[in-house]
Structures are given as structure tokens and as C-alpha cells.
Amino acid sequence: MTTAALSSRPSSLSNQASKAILSANINEAGWRCHGNLWSNLREVCDLLHIAAPVSSVEEEVLFQHVRFKAGQRIHTIGQSFDTLYIVNSGFLKTVLIDEYGNEQVLSFPMKGDLLGIDGIHNQHHASEAVALSDCDIILLPYKIFTALGHTYAELEHAMFSVMSRELVREQLMIGMLSALSAEAKVARFLTNLGDRFSQLGYSGRSFNLRMTRHEIGSYLGLTLETVSRTLSAFNEMGLISVEQREICLLDSATLKTLRRLPPAKARSKVSEKVSTLVSKKLIPQWGTEAAVAA
């Protein structure tokens, strides 16, 4: 695709590429609910939190949205690579699957995240992305992206920055897994998730976990039992409240600095002290940090 061709017929090229990709993958990855919603280049850049080219054809180059239902796969392991995916709404997981069918959760993408970069290396996806809730995904055909990158150097640099951002996030996660106790891993997971929700304009204190305890364990390298036991201990200590999948972070500051849980007897004493102080209205229900430290 030449720069001249891109400039002269961007909308036609973008539409044709997206429709060809949809046709090629409709049976392979379970595409559903093809809508008529499209986003221009500036809207895509805003979603990725990067600057759009100052002089661009954003009103003409369009990128199609595709909706997936919970449980559907956006791309599968071994699938031919031709598209990057941007999460417009919803919650997903990316996983590796070994020869015995065991899943290893790699990440939990949400709004503004970029998927599919693992396919650039050898033109086939090494992982698969699965919707954990109903999702709206924007297709970014790789050929269209590279052609735009040739036209707008700043766009190419910005997209590489987005890819680097994803890699840095994974590296931080690996570092966390190697250095922290099981309890600290769960605590950091919850506070990191809360921070991400806050960045998206949602409540970072109260939110629903779209993933299961088992999936959290797979992501953190812990067993289901350890995750459930740790969440129960946090609830007992007044650090969080748990109602099925709804989590409320009552003491984020303590969770962010927690290294290990105290023994069960000590936890009971902390819980009793917090309850007493709350009942006497000496501390608000969410202000347990002072009580724990006292």
C-alpha cells in the first residue's frame, strides 16, 4: 500500500481491510454482533492516550468495532496475525494454554489496552484473548497501521510507546510475583486494579471482579484456595469487604504496603479492635489503617 494510495482512498482501504479480516476470522475466533460503529483515527488515539497526528485524515480513515459476548475469543493461539485490537469497553483475559490444556493467565486487559502484539513476531498469535464480559473491540488492521505510520512518523512512535507500555506493565508484574508473599500479591493485585479503574474514571474503591478466584490465582501464580483464604483474611481484618464478586477497598494504604498477614489470633484481635472503634464512631468504617497500626 503506498502513501499516495492511502491519502487518496483511506476510507475505502480501511473498510475493505477490516471486512476482509472479519471474513477470514469469523469461524476461527467466533466473531459476533458485527455493528455499524466505526471510530476515526483521532478517537482511536484518544482511547490509547496518545496524541493524534496534527495533520491527518482521521475523518476519513475508519476502524470498525466488533462486539463479543462473555466467553468468546477475540483471537486464538496459532491464529494468523493481521490485526491489532483495542479494547473500547469490557474486560478480558489473555492466556497461554499448554499441551495438557492448562491455562496460564497473562493479563486482564480493559478499556484503552492494546491486544495482539504477540503476533507481530512470527505472524501467528502465541496467546489467546477471551472476553470475561461483553466487550466492544476496535480492529486496527496491521497493514493500515503500518501505512499510516509511514505517513505520520509521530503516530508510529506513539504506537510503539503504547506497545512498550504493555511490556513494562508485564515486567512489573513479573517482578512483583518474584519478590512478594502470597498475601502481598493479592493485596497489590486489588490496589493496582483499583488504580486502573480510577484512571478510567470509575470508582477505584468499589468494583466488581470480572475474573474468577481461579483466574486471579493463575495470574498471580497462586492456588484458588490461597486466593480465597487471603481475601477472607483481608475481609476479617477490615481491609476490604467482599460480597461475592463485589470488592470494596476499605484501607488501600495498608494493602499497598502489606508484606505478610499477621497470625490468625492477631488478626482476630485487630478485627475486634476495629469493630469496637467503628461502633463507638471513633473511626469511620473505612479508616482501619490507624486501628491496625495502633
Side-chain angles (χ1 to χ4, degrees):
M1 181 184 301
T2 66
T3 300
L6 179 65
S7 300
S8 63
R9 293 192 302 118
S11 179
S12 175
L13 286 172
S14 179
N15 293 357
Q16 290 175 7
S18 295
K19 289 176 181 177
I21 290 165
L22 285 171
S23 177
N25 291 289
I26 190 167
N27 294 321
E28 189 170 8
W31 302 96
R32 295 287 174 86
C33 302
H34 301 178
N36 294 321
L37 186 60
W38 298 75
S39 288
N40 60 38
L41 182 57
R42 185 169 299 279
E43 291 168 336
V44 167
C45 290
D46 288 344
L47 184 60
L48 293 172
H49 299 292
I50 59 177
V54 176
S55 175
S56 68
V57 291
E58 74 272 7
E59 296 301 330
E60 298 177 345
V61 179
L62 299 176
F63 303 95
Q64 188 172 12
H65 292 233
V66 177
R67 295 182 176 87
F68 293 84
K69 295 185 179 298
Q72 288 188 294
R73 285 163 173 74
I74 285 70
H75 64 74
T76 58
I77 295 175
Q79 179 180 320
S80 297
F81 168 77
D82 46 26
T83 308
L84 295 172
Y85 309 90
I86 305 169
V87 184
N88 186 51
S89 67
F91 208 91
L92 306 94
K93 66 177 179 179
T94 60
V95 300
L96 288 175
I97 302 177
D98 66 19
E99 58 185 314
Y100 304 105
N102 299 313
E103 252 188 27
Q104 172 64 55
V105 177
L106 303 175
S107 64
F108 293 110
M110 60 178 73
K111 184 176 181 178
D113 286 342
L114 183 68
L115 306 176
I117 60 176
D118 65 329
I120 296 175
H121 172 57
N122 64 6
Q123 300 302 297
H124 288 84
H125 290 286
S127 65
E128 69 178 31
V130 184
L132 293 178
S133 67
D134 290 353
C135 297
D136 182 72
I137 306 295
I138 299 175
L139 307 184
L140 180 59
Y142 194 64
K143 288 184 178 180
I144 298 294
F145 160 63
T146 53
L148 286 169
H150 294 156
T151 305
Y152 309 106
E154 68 271 33
L155 176 63
E156 186 174 47
H157 294 158
M159 286 297 293
F160 287 148
S161 176
V162 172
M163 294 179 189
S164 177
R165 185 173 68 198
E166 299 296 330
L167 292 175
V168 168
R169 185 180 295 163
E170 290 182 8
Q171 289 173 347
L172 291 174
M173 187 63 199
I174 293 172
M176 184 186 80
L177 291 177
S178 64
L180 298 179
S181 67
E183 298 92 342
K185 290 176 184 178
V186 176
R188 299 300 191 284
F189 172 77
L190 293 176
T191 56
N192 288 346
L193 192 59
D195 289 343
R196 293 209 62 197
F197 278 123
S198 293
Q199 292 167 6
L200 293 174
Y202 305 120
S203 172
R205 182 173 176 269
S206 181
F207 47 84
N208 287 326
L209 294 177
R210 295 294 184 179
M211 70 292 290
T212 64
R213 307 301 199 254
H214 175 75
E215 288 165 337
I216 294 173
S218 176
Y219 181 56
L220 297 176
L222 304 173
T223 64
L224 166 64
E225 291 75 17
T226 298
V227 173
S228 297
R229 185 171 60 250
T230 302
L231 290 175
S232 296
F234 289 169
N235 185 74
E236 178 186 353
M237 293 177 64
L239 300 178
I240 66 173
S241 66
V242 182
E243 183 65 33
Q244 295 182 343
R245 289 198 177 189
E246 183 178 354
I247 298 287
C248 185
L249 305 184
L250 302 177
D251 193 348
S252 296
T254 297
L255 288 170
K256 288 181 177 180
T257 58
L258 184 143
R259 294 186 177 181
R260 291 186 181 278
L261 285 174
K265 290 183 178 180
R267 294 203 301 268
S268 297
K269 291 180 180 179
V270 168
S271 179
E272 291 173 3
K273 188 173 183 178
V274 170
S275 298
T276 300
L277 292 174
V278 170
S279 65
K280 292 181 178 180
K281 298 183 179 181
L282 296 179
I283 62 170
Q285 187 170 1
W286 58 87
T288 61
E289 181 182 5
V292 172

